[in-house]
Every structure is written in C-alpha cells, then in structure tokens.
Amino acid sequence: MDIGIHNVTKRFGAFAALDNVDLEVRSGELVALLGPSGSGKTTLLRIIAGLEWPEQGRILFGGEDASERSVRERNVGFVFQHYALFRHLSVFENVAFGLRVRPRASRLRESELRERVERLLDLIQLRSIADRYPSQLSGGQRQRVALARALAIEPRVLLLDEPFGALDAKVRKELRRWLRNLHDNIHVTSVFVTHDQEEALEVADRVVVMDEGRIEQIGAPQDVYEEPATAFVHAFIGESIIIPVTVEKGAVLHAGKPTSLGAPDVQTGPARLFIRPYDVGIGMPVNAALQGTVQRLHGIGAARRVEILLADSDQTIEVDVPRAHEVTAGQRVGIVPLRYRVFADG
Amino acid sequence: MKYRATMGAARPRLRRRPSVLPGFGITLGVTLTWLALIVLIPLAGLFLQTATLSFAEFWAIVTSRRALNAFKLSFGLSLVAAVINLVFGGLVAWALVRYQFPGRRLLDAIVDIPFALPTAVAGIALTTLFAENGWLGSVLALAGIKVAFTPLGILVALVFIGLPFVVRTVQPVLLDLDAELEEVAATLGASRWQTFTRVILPLVVPALLTGFALAFARAVGEYGSVIFIAGNLPNVSEIAPLLIMIRLEEFKYADATAIAVVMLIASFLILLAINRLQRWSELRTGRL
C-alpha cells in the first residue's frame, strides 16, 4: 500500500509543526523520517496514523483519501518508543488484542487466532515466553512484542515512532538489523521515525531528512550523505567542516581573500563552505585554497585527526590526514578541498 | 572460595546478609510498638471485657432479634452504599480526570467535604433536606418515597460519607494512565468501549477495590451522621453502633462489647477478602 502525503500543514498554536509537507511512500518500501527533535517527524507519523489531524492537506492510502477515516479504520500498525504494552495481559494476549477486538462478523475462531498469534510469536522468537507479562521482559523483548502486536492485524502500513530509542546500544543494533530482515521477508510498507542517522542510513530504503517542519531532502541513504541538497542536510548527516565564506560572481572568498575555489551556481553574498574531514588534502601553503597552522594531532587508526587554525580567522578545523602523511604541530600548511559544497546563507 | 571458607570459620553465625535498605530493625520495632499501643491493646480490652460473659450469654446477646437486625442493617446497607459509591465515585473520578469543564477545580474540592464535615453536621443537614417538609423530602413525598427516619435515609448518609474514598483512590491511577495505551488500542481497531473495558478498566480495578473497601469500612463504623437521619427504631432502622451506645448507656458493658466483637470480626473478614481480591487483581495487572 503506497502512502501519499499532500501539502500537509499542522500547527500547535503559533508553532508550525509541519509546513506544507509533500511525500510519496512507495508500496513495500521502508522509509526513515530523520531529523532533530522538534523537526515534525513524529507529528507527520501520527498524522499518517490518524492520531493527529492536519489543518490542511490530504493523506492518501493507495490513492484513496484516508483523511476522513479514524485511526480504527485506517488499519495501520503503530509501534511506540516506550512499547505501550498492556501490562495486565500476557505476551500472547497482547499480540492477540487486535484480533480479539474485531467486529463479531470478522472475528477469528479461537483455533485460527491461536495459530496466527503463535506464528507471530515464532517470528519475534518469543514463543517460549508467551505466558509472561510485560513487566517480566527486557526492553528488546518488549519492543518485539509491540511489533508483533502491530503486525497481528495485518496492517496496510507499519509505522514506528523511534522504535529503538529506549534501548541500549547493543540491543538497538541487533534489533534494527532484525527489523531490516523482517521487512525484507514481509514487505509491509513501513515508515519509521528516528533522530539517529546511523540507524536511518543502515535500515531504510529511502531517507527523508526533516528540519523545522519541512522536508529538506528525500533520497537513498547514500545520496543524502554523498549529495546533500541543503546546508542543513550536509551538517546534520555525517561530519562536516563548515567555513563561513562569501561568494562573488561564482568565486569563493575566505576572509576577503580569493581561494581558487569556485561555486558557479551560488548567488553572490555570504555563504558557507562544507567539506568532509577526509576530503581534504594537506600540502604546501603556496597556491592552496586555504592556509593554516597545525595546532595538534591526535587519534588512532588509518587516519590522524589534525587540528588546523585557519589563517586570517580564529576558526579551527579538524581534518583527517592519512597516517603516512608527514605533519607536525606548528607547521604552516595549505588546505586543498578535494570535494566540497557551497551553500548560500539564508 | 578460600576467603569465604575462612570467613565462615571465623564468624559462623553471621549467615544472614544484611539488606541494602537501612533501618529494618528500628522501623519494624517502632511499627509494632505503635500498632500495639494504638490498635492491639484497645482491641484486647474489648475481648477481655467480653470474656466476662459465658459463651451461652454471649451467644444469646449476639443472636437476639434486635442485635441480628442491627447487624443486618449495618453490614447490608454499608455494602450497598459501597457499591453505589464504587459506581458513582468511579464516574466522578473519571469525569474529573478526563474532561476539562468550567468549575472542575471547585467540584474537585467539593468531593472532600464529606471527609472534613463533622458527621453530626452532615447528619442534621441530610435530615433537614430529606425530611417530609425538606427540599428534597417534600418532592420525594409526592412520589410516595420516604427517606428520612427510614433505612433509605441511612443509605443516603452512608453514600454521602463514603464518596471521597473511592474518588480519591481512583483519581491518581486514572491520572497516571498512559495516553499511548489508548492510542495503541485504537490503532489495533478497538472501539472506545472496547478500549475502556479491555484496557482502562483492568488497570483501574485494584484502585476501585481499595476505594470500595475504604468506603465500606467507613460506612460500617459510621455513627454520627446516621443517628440523625435513621429514626432509630429497634429492628427497623437501628444500626449496630447505635445499639452498642444504648447498651453502654444502660451500663451493660459486656453486652456492648459482645456486639462490638462480632462487628470487629465480621469487618475484619470482609476486609481480608477484599484485600485478597485486590492482590489478585494487582498481580493480574502486573504491578507486583
């Protein structure tokens, strides 16, 4: 089931949680909504589920307008960050809940119900503890029960709100790999919200980067990292060296001096230069784009972290330099960005 | 292993591992002393006084027609009052927690009045209200219903004094309910009613039972407000606590304590049963 989100706007008082958002989620896809807190990603998820109502805009499920349908009728599976398990029901009954509350006409026979629930418990590998209560489970187990409960109703869409947010790092990694495998097996259209970029890039087919109620970029995980569309995306995903510059007729100036870098598509005015720390060559100061003085070196591994104080400013940048490359503290060096992007301010 | 062996040899009696929570000894001591002073010693006095009677005498007193009718009235009406309070107190708590409406805070404060009001004042006020020439009494009289000076009047008084117990025990539990539980139930296709009966109610049942037990206990022991509205006709509208008072005024102390002992034991058994029920439902809601 594909999901269409058209011109959705949601305000809480004067604050626009979502500002004219457009998004298409393709059938069977696993999409991550990624953004800092307050970016509107959870609000968008709740609007898709029908737990919030937009001021304006439409939600389409498979081309059909879902805006008039209540949560009950949308047939979405929703997984909360803090599981929201029914603590007075056993694991089995938690998973069976959605089947038991069906209208009498479509209710399953007890034997069919048992079979369906047990199949789901096998899927989450928790059949052996079907009789336990939520308070007796670990965080990872609880989240898997919550997931099985959502899947029991055979949802058209699966929505997950920071599903791994409350778990410790190791369990989180295991569980997200497990979720990825699960999705590859059952292909239910899924949208999950996260503020963890690693999680989004590892699990999702496509990543939707959001900030301040707007979508900044939609793309494959590699694309949003390699080809960030906006300054926000470049700064938010991965590490960036960010240097304030000015652009004049397509040429980049740092502290008023020409840098030999070009930005033909950027309009004249203040801008910022974005470089990945490993996309920097260190060479002789002469003719280099930027100059600076090495302050400190540290780090282990294939590359060393080098702190460089830029000439003509008081900004220090951190650059990854291959271990083989000779650099010493105090040395004046030239800085040559191998790949860079310039985004106009404002 | 070696370390433990030497420790064991040197201090063979220190097997009990001390708890990480300090003060077990002293708190237990204080608790037991206090309980003995405030509760157990007076109760023991009650039994001692009763023991001056032979068993035959005791049996004759507590199975006399007047005493049996008083017990029936006291326990029966207290149970009915507690059930009424369970339903309406639960509803009041629900309305106060779940809905915003003008005057909500005022209503919230009014719930405590039966706690604070001297019971005699409550009794006189209710009697005035429900007497045949009172505001409500005159209206009810048209329908042929007599409240004041009948068992129905006792019920009204018991409902009045028991209401805050249910409201105040249920309210915090409702406040604590996670809105996500209802949202998740809705996404799973549950109707509002199913969400209420299958998700909310099971979580509130232990608190409802506690409120029920408190309201019941209070009603059984209530004296002040009831005697004004009851009419106090022996065998008809005479509650057990009043019968005790009457026996005391006749200087029949042993008779009074005999009736008291029966009330005590019956109350204890009923409260014990409610307590067991409550523990069972708490286990079921996974709170323990």
Side-chain angles (χ1 to χ4, degrees):
Chain A
M1 182 72 55
D2 51 302
I3 311 170
I5 295 147
H6 297 304
N7 306 316
V8 164
T9 298
K10 172 78 184 176
R11 275 173 230 288
F12 294 111
F15 170 72
L18 289 175
D19 186 5
N20 229 350
V21 168
D22 270 293
L23 176 64
E24 293 290 335
V25 180
R26 293 189 281 263
S27 192
E29 201 176 24
L30 177 54
V31 168
L33 302 179
L34 173 65
S37 46
S39 59
K41 54 196 192 305
T42 294
T43 306
L44 181 56
L45 196 76
R46 291 174 61 87
I47 285 176
I48 298 173
L51 294 169
E52 305 270 2
W53 298 91
E55 258 88 69
Q56 131 196 351
R58 293 198 307 158
I59 305 289
L60 302 180
F61 277 18
E64 175 192 332
D65 198 338
S67 307
E68 293 306 311
R69 291 181 177 209
S70 71
V71 205
R72 281 184 72 196
E73 299 156 340
R74 286 198 193 186
N75 194 222
V76 294
F78 201 101
V79 177
F80 286 92
Q81 179 177 3
H82 297 289
Y83 333 120
L85 293 180
F86 304 125
R87 63 162 190 244
H88 60 292
L89 298 178
S90 66
V91 168
F92 184 96
E93 287 302 326
N94 261 284
V95 176
F97 186 89
L99 303 173
R100 293 216 191 275
V101 298
R102 277 187 181 183
R104 208 167 295 270
S106 61
R107 217 171 278 172
L108 297 175
R109 264 183 285 119
E110 185 66 22
S111 58
E112 289 175 298
L113 182 142
R114 291 206 83 82
E115 200 181 310
R116 170 99 67 95
V117 172
E118 273 165 7
R119 212 166 51 228
L120 281 160
L121 290 175
D122 284 337
L123 188 70
I124 59 167
Q125 297 148 13
L126 290 180
R127 189 164 175 174
S128 55
I129 56 167
D131 296 330
R132 292 215 198 148
Y133 285 84
S135 59
Q136 300 165 305
L137 305 182
S138 73
Q141 289 172 328
R142 286 180 203 187
Q143 197 54 291
R144 278 187 282 162
V145 174
L147 198 60
R149 179 178 63 179
L151 291 173
I153 59 168
E154 295 180 329
R156 298 191 292 175
V157 174
L158 183 63
L159 306 171
L160 307 103
D161 185 9
E162 301 258 4
F164 315 124
L167 304 170
D168 63 63
K170 187 165 173 287
V171 178
R172 190 184 309 186
K173 275 203 159 160
E174 282 170 18
L175 210 53
R176 72 188 188 214
R177 210 152 291 163
W178 178 82
L179 176 70
R180 180 68 243 184
N181 289 336
L182 182 77
H183 185 265
D184 289 345
N185 291 331
I186 59 176
H187 291 296
V188 58
T189 308
S190 308
V191 181
F192 78 102
V193 158
T194 179
H195 62 263
D196 181 345
Q197 43 175 295
E198 205 188 318
E199 192 169 292
L201 299 188
E202 181 184 325
V203 177
D205 296 321
R206 282 198 304 157
V207 177
V208 177
V209 187
M210 295 185 66
D211 184 42
E212 295 183 340
R214 292 164 191 275
I215 291 180
E216 294 276 330
Q217 187 173 4
I218 306 172
Q222 281 310 303
D223 292 348
V224 293
Y225 179 67
E226 304 270 358
E227 308 284 339
T230 66
F232 172 81
V233 178
H234 204 303
F236 186 68
I237 299 180
E239 248 188 302
S240 301
I241 299 166
I242 305 170
I243 303 170
V245 293
T246 44
V247 175
E248 224 172 274
K249 295 186 191 101
V252 177
L253 281 67
H254 177 247
K257 294 180 183 167
T259 58
S260 81
L261 302 176
D265 304 330
V266 181
Q267 64 186 62
T268 296
R272 275 173 296 166
L273 173 66
F274 286 79
I275 318 164
R276 298 288 183 202
Y278 51 82
D279 274 341
V280 174
I282 297 293
M284 301 301 273
V286 198
N287 291 335
L290 296 161
Q291 286 89 34
T293 312
V294 175
Q295 303 280 90
R296 240 157 63 81
L297 301 102
H298 56 89
I300 53 174
R304 273 189 298 186
R305 221 354 105 99
V306 180
E307 289 176 20
I308 300 171
L309 177 67
L310 291 180
D312 309 315
S313 82
D314 52 6
Q315 188 183 2
T316 302
I317 60 172
E318 293 193 7
V319 173
D320 288 337
V321 177
R323 198 156 283 277
H325 197 105
E326 288 269 344
V327 195
T328 51
Q331 186 183 350
R332 266 188 74 78
V333 290
I335 300 156
V336 185
L338 307 175
R339 274 153 48 95
Y340 62 92
R341 269 161 202 281
V342 180
F343 294 103
D345 281 353
Chain B
M1 281 316 276
K2 200 175 180 185
Y3 172 74
R4 199 188 287 171
T6 50
M7 281 296 284
R11 307 164 84 178
R13 296 183 63 194
L14 262 183
R15 279 248 203 84
R16 190 173 71 86
R17 244 177 293 161
S19 157
V20 286
L21 291 173
F24 171 73
I26 190 148
T27 48
L28 184 72
V30 169
T31 309
L32 287 182
T33 311
W34 190 245
L35 202 66
L37 277 174
I38 298 293
V39 182
L40 293 180
I41 291 177
L43 289 187
L46 194 68
F47 281 95
L48 275 179
Q49 183 68 43
T50 313
T52 60
L53 297 168
S54 73
F55 185 76
E57 284 172 313
F58 172 81
W59 193 250
I61 291 166
V62 300
T63 56
S64 70
R65 179 157 167 265
R66 192 170 173 186
L68 283 180
N69 279 325
F71 289 139
K72 232 185 278 173
L73 195 68
S74 268
F75 285 105
L77 287 180
S78 295
L79 273 179
V80 175
V83 169
I84 292 173
N85 276 325
L86 182 70
V87 175
F88 288 95
L91 284 176
V92 169
W94 176 263
L96 286 176
V97 170
R98 302 299 293 248
Y99 307 113
Q100 294 290 333
F101 51 88
R104 191 176 63 97
R105 284 178 175 282
L106 188 69
L107 200 68
D108 198 32
I110 288 174
V111 167
D112 281 331
I113 285 179
F115 266 147
L117 202 64
T119 51
V121 177
I124 293 166
L126 288 172
T127 310
T128 317
L129 203 58
F130 283 102
E132 257 173 279
N133 53 359
W135 288 352
L136 289 172
S138 56
V139 177
L140 289 170
L142 293 177
I145 302 170
K146 250 179 79 108
V147 177
F149 315 122
T150 68
L152 195 58
I154 303 177
L155 185 65
V156 170
L158 296 183
V159 168
F160 175 80
I161 51 133
L163 176 75
F165 292 94
V166 177
V167 177
R168 290 294 179 243
T169 47
V170 172
Q171 220 173 359
V173 178
L174 284 175
L175 272 173
D176 262 4
L177 275 188
D178 197 346
E180 284 184 356
L181 287 178
E182 287 162 62
E183 289 182 343
V184 91
T187 65
L188 293 169
S191 65
R192 310 268 311 149
W193 178 247
Q194 284 172 320
T195 304
F196 179 76
T197 55
R198 287 170 177 262
V199 177
I200 298 171
L201 204 55
L203 297 174
V204 183
V205 160
L208 281 170
L209 281 176
T210 306
F212 177 81
L214 289 172
F216 170 74
R218 172 72 202 269
V220 166
E222 179 61 16
Y223 176 76
S225 62
V226 173
I227 53 162
F228 289 97
I229 200 169
N232 305 327
L233 273 174
N235 297 321
V236 177
S237 57
E238 184 181 61
I239 55 169
L242 178 67
L243 187 58
I244 295 174
M245 270 309 286
I246 290 170
R247 291 291 177 251
L248 286 176
E249 281 166 359
E250 294 166 353
F251 303 108
K252 293 181 181 167
Y253 295 131
D255 290 38
T257 54
I259 298 168
V261 161
V262 173
M263 286 199 75
L264 185 71
I265 292 170
S267 301
F268 181 74
L269 290 178
I270 292 172
L271 289 178
L272 193 70
I274 295 173
N275 201 287
R276 294 296 292 267
L277 199 63
Q278 200 183 329
R279 260 190 79 81
W280 172 79
S281 66
E282 269 181 1
L283 274 173
R284 277 214 36 177
T285 57
R287 208 170 304 179
L288 294 175

